[in-house]
Amino acid sequence: MSETVYGIHAVEALLARAPERIIEVFIAKGREDKRLVAVVQELEQLGLPVKVTNRQWLDEKTRNGVHQGILALVKENRGYQENDIPLLMQQSKQPVILILDGVTDPHNLGACIRTADAAGVDFIIVPKDRSAPLNSTAQKVACGATESVPVVRVTNLARAMRMLQDEFQVWIVGTAGEADKTLYQTDFYKTQSIPLALVMGAEGEGMRRLTKEHCDELVSIPMAGMVSSLNVSVATGICLFEIVRQKNR
């Protein structure tokens, strides 16, 4: 099985982190900007096939996405499963985990992954049956972060959360508009060595009931205006960088 990755940044990330996944690359005829030329040179140095095509073909393959004149056909990334979590937990002394419940828009998923990478999140957990696919749209929006932040798909999100709590003593903080405390009133690091997971629900709907019940603590984002909720990727960024601030204080 194969999938497509498009956009200069996304292909650059593939070259840097997983060049063995690349099958062949297509570039737009007449496109000669410096970044694209540099990518093509690196591909050719690795002996990877580069084919020239027209812009219309790229538009059709990416459904008029912002492909920047380049598309790579790559081996399918089968991703991470629930049984990979113990190994991922061992890769950091103080892991930070992002749990996304009900993020079904690939654009939002990609933006959350990009934000998670910027904030130093160790890995992301999403449910198999209630999450956007990690498709070419999500990878383009993530700007290469899908190659650096593992995304774990689990069959049962509540069970995965229980495992984090019981086996790894992870403190799980969920976001909910009705929470008594805001994230600025919350001490995310009650002890400096505790692993932490942040749960973000879908915009509007929020977390599912069972997901919420498995959180150790609930926090809200204070809202001063007329809008009742934020885009999930924006809310994720606000929460993650408050965690970063507290972790580094």
Side-chain angles (χ1 to χ4, degrees):
M1 295 288 289
S2 62
E3 56 189 21
T4 57
V5 172
Y6 59 88
I8 294 176
H9 202 128
V11 176
E12 285 176 334
L14 266 173
L15 274 169
R17 300 183 179 111
E20 69 281 355
R21 289 184 58 209
I22 300 174
I23 300 170
E24 59 183 342
V25 177
F26 299 87
I27 61 168
K29 184 178 181 180
R31 185 76 184 258
E32 296 182 352
D33 56 84
K34 290 182 179 179
R35 281 185 69 193
L36 185 59
V37 169
V39 170
V40 170
Q41 288 175 345
E42 187 171 353
L43 288 163
E44 290 175 340
Q45 287 171 2
L46 292 171
L48 294 167
V50 178
K51 297 180 179 179
V52 178
T53 187
N54 58 62
R55 186 177 186 88
Q56 183 181 0
W57 185 87
L58 288 172
D59 288 343
E60 291 172 356
K61 289 294 182 181
T62 60
R63 296 180 183 177
N64 293 314
V66 186
H67 50 70
Q68 299 175 296
I70 188 166
L71 177 148
L73 183 66
V74 303
K75 297 173 186 174
E76 184 181 16
N77 184 356
R78 298 191 178 277
Y80 295 82
Q81 309 298 321
E82 189 169 334
N83 56 10
D84 293 312
I85 290 176
L87 179 61
L88 293 169
M89 288 295 298
Q90 294 173 14
Q91 293 178 359
S92 174
K93 291 182 179 179
Q94 192 179 10
V96 175
I97 305 147
L98 175 63
I99 300 173
L100 300 174
D101 185 23
V103 178
T104 56
D105 183 338
H107 291 88
N108 282 335
L109 177 61
C112 287
I113 295 171
R114 182 177 182 177
T115 300
D117 177 72
V121 166
D122 292 276
F123 61 95
I124 299 170
I125 298 176
V126 298
K128 286 182 178 178
D129 62 349
R130 202 166 179 260
S131 176
L134 196 58
N135 58 17
S136 57
T137 299
Q139 294 184 59
K140 174 67 172 64
V141 175
C143 288
T146 55
E147 298 300 324
S148 60
V149 184
V151 178
V152 182
R153 290 192 179 272
V154 299
T155 304
N156 187 312
L157 189 58
R159 183 179 63 197
M161 293 169 70
R162 283 197 303 271
M163 180 181 72
L164 290 174
Q165 292 164 321
D166 296 342
E167 297 184 23
F168 302 100
Q169 292 71 57
V170 176
W171 185 256
I172 300 180
V173 180
T175 51
E178 71 273 17
D180 294 331
K181 291 194 298 184
T182 73
L183 77 159
Y184 303 117
Q185 298 168 330
T186 300
D187 184 0
F188 287 100
Y189 289 98
K190 294 171 176 60
T191 65
Q192 284 301 310
S193 60
I194 193 169
L196 181 69
L198 172 71
V199 187
M200 303 298 300
E203 183 180 348
E205 297 178 15
M207 292 179 288
R208 288 175 289 181
R209 178 188 58 81
L210 196 57
T211 305
K212 190 179 297 185
E213 289 175 357
H214 281 79
C215 293
D216 296 300
E217 184 178 4
L218 295 176
V219 300
S220 64
I221 298 174
M223 304 288 289
M226 296 289 291
V227 176
S228 60
S229 65
L230 296 169
N231 175 278
V232 64
S233 63
V234 173
T236 298
I238 291 169
C239 294
L240 283 178
F241 278 94
E242 174 59 17
I243 289 170
V244 170
R245 186 192 69 81
Q246 292 193 23
K247 189 175 184 179
N248 296 328
R249 65 189 172 186

